Amino acid sequence: MSLHPEATSTNELAALDPVADSLVVADHQTAGRGRLDRTWETPPGTALTFSAVVDPGLADHDWPLLPLAVALAVADGLRTAAGVSVAVKWPNDLLIEGAKVAGILLERVQADRPLAIIGIGINVGLDVEDLPVPTATSLRIAGADVDRTAVFAAVVPALGAILTALRSEPSAVLERYRSECDTIGREVEVHLPDGELLVGTASGIDRHGRLVVGESTIGAGDVVHVRPA
Ligand code: BT5
């Protein structure tokens, strides 16, 4: 494990020399990254920001399940460490009462074999005035008085466990995701990468981890939960 008092982005650092089974942790990120070139911002000392580099040992067709599985693991870790009720929004946002407490950025890099860089950002000790966006929350705001080390100590083994499960029985992990994903059954707005907006009821998750909305299956997009269907 490498621990950095300050880093641009742990995903970026990990990608410079990706080593399987390593962890890159930053006490603070100065250029934290979200998906699609967005930013992930957290004030110093308040958040857990790290990346795990793993060889998931998956067939190519099961790689799309990885981001979903990681969301289940982070949810498990948060429940264990903080006793909070966490919901998973497709594909891998972790919500408490509809607000985002953690985000995941998964990247595939080619080393001697394909490796996954699993970036995880968890809002731990932020107060309301620290929130980077109004749609965010933190464990502290949710009433959990827990430190970053305890959250890390719960999330890392949960991640190991889900990766083992995914390797041995991907369909069982997908089934668990389907039963836990809070998006299913809701009316959603999906902002697609090409700028298009799709509105409908999310009816399920297909074999490849894509969200099914009406006649469409969506591999990538930003979902807004409108209301329960
Ligand atoms: C994500 O992107 O949710 C992935 C975030 C991954 C962050 C981790 S930290 C460790 C590792 N190293 C990195 O550089 N990144 C990973 P996305 O779904 O695109 O969400 C980004 C959007 O969430 C932003 O555009 C903001 O609207 C919002 N946002 C930014 N910071 C936030 C925060 N701390 N909490 C909640 N929402 C935030």
Side-chain angles (χ1 to χ4, degrees):
M1 180 172 101
S2 60
L3 176 58
H4 303 264
E6 193 172 280
T8 50
S9 146
T10 56
N11 267 42
E12 192 176 299
L13 263 190
L16 292 177
D17 179 23
V19 178
D21 298 322
S22 66
L23 289 164
V24 179
V25 187
D27 188 35
H28 178 56
Q29 289 188 136
T30 54
R33 286 164 41 196
R35 294 174 300 143
L36 306 169
D37 287 332
R38 289 187 291 239
T39 56
W40 185 259
E41 294 167 62
T42 39
T46 62
L48 178 60
T49 47
F50 72 99
S51 301
V53 184
V54 300
D55 174 359
L58 297 174
D60 272 352
H61 61 260
D62 284 329
W63 270 72
L65 301 181
L66 198 51
L68 312 187
V70 172
L72 294 177
V74 176
D76 282 343
L78 294 183
R79 290 178 194 125
T80 304
V84 286
S85 169
V86 194
V88 177
K89 185 181 79 165
W90 183 88
N92 56 14
D93 282 351
L94 286 309
L95 308 182
I96 297 179
E97 290 178 5
K100 185 155 159 175
V101 67
I104 295 162
L105 174 64
L106 215 134
E107 294 175 294
R108 177 172 165 145
V109 292
Q110 188 65 41
D112 52 336
R113 57 208 150 132
L115 298 178
I117 299 181
I118 303 171
I120 300 176
I122 303 172
N123 298 333
V124 180
L126 290 82
D127 289 313
V128 173
E129 58 271 22
D130 299 324
L131 296 176
V133 288
T135 50
T137 190
S138 73
L139 295 177
R140 173 179 296 193
I141 293 167
D145 187 17
V146 60
D147 69 23
R148 293 182 290 168
T149 311
V151 178
F152 185 65
V155 170
V156 170
L159 192 57
I162 207 84
L163 291 172
T164 303
L166 190 60
R167 219 168 274 144
S168 64
E169 220 183 332
S171 59
V173 174
L174 179 60
E175 216 32 66
R176 193 188 142 199
Y177 185 86
R178 286 180 175 132
S179 71
E180 276 198 33
C181 177
D182 191 46
T183 305
I184 298 173
R186 281 183 185 267
E187 194 174 315
V188 293
E189 288 175 4
V190 189
H191 299 261
L192 299 170
D194 65 2
E196 220 185 297
L197 178 69
L198 185 74
V199 179
T201 302
S203 58
I205 309 288
D206 80 359
R207 164 74 190 82
H208 308 287
R210 295 177 302 199
L211 184 68
V212 182
V213 179
E215 301 291 302
S216 310
T217 45
I218 298 141
D222 286 308
V223 171
V224 178
H225 287 170
V226 181
R227 58 183 161 79

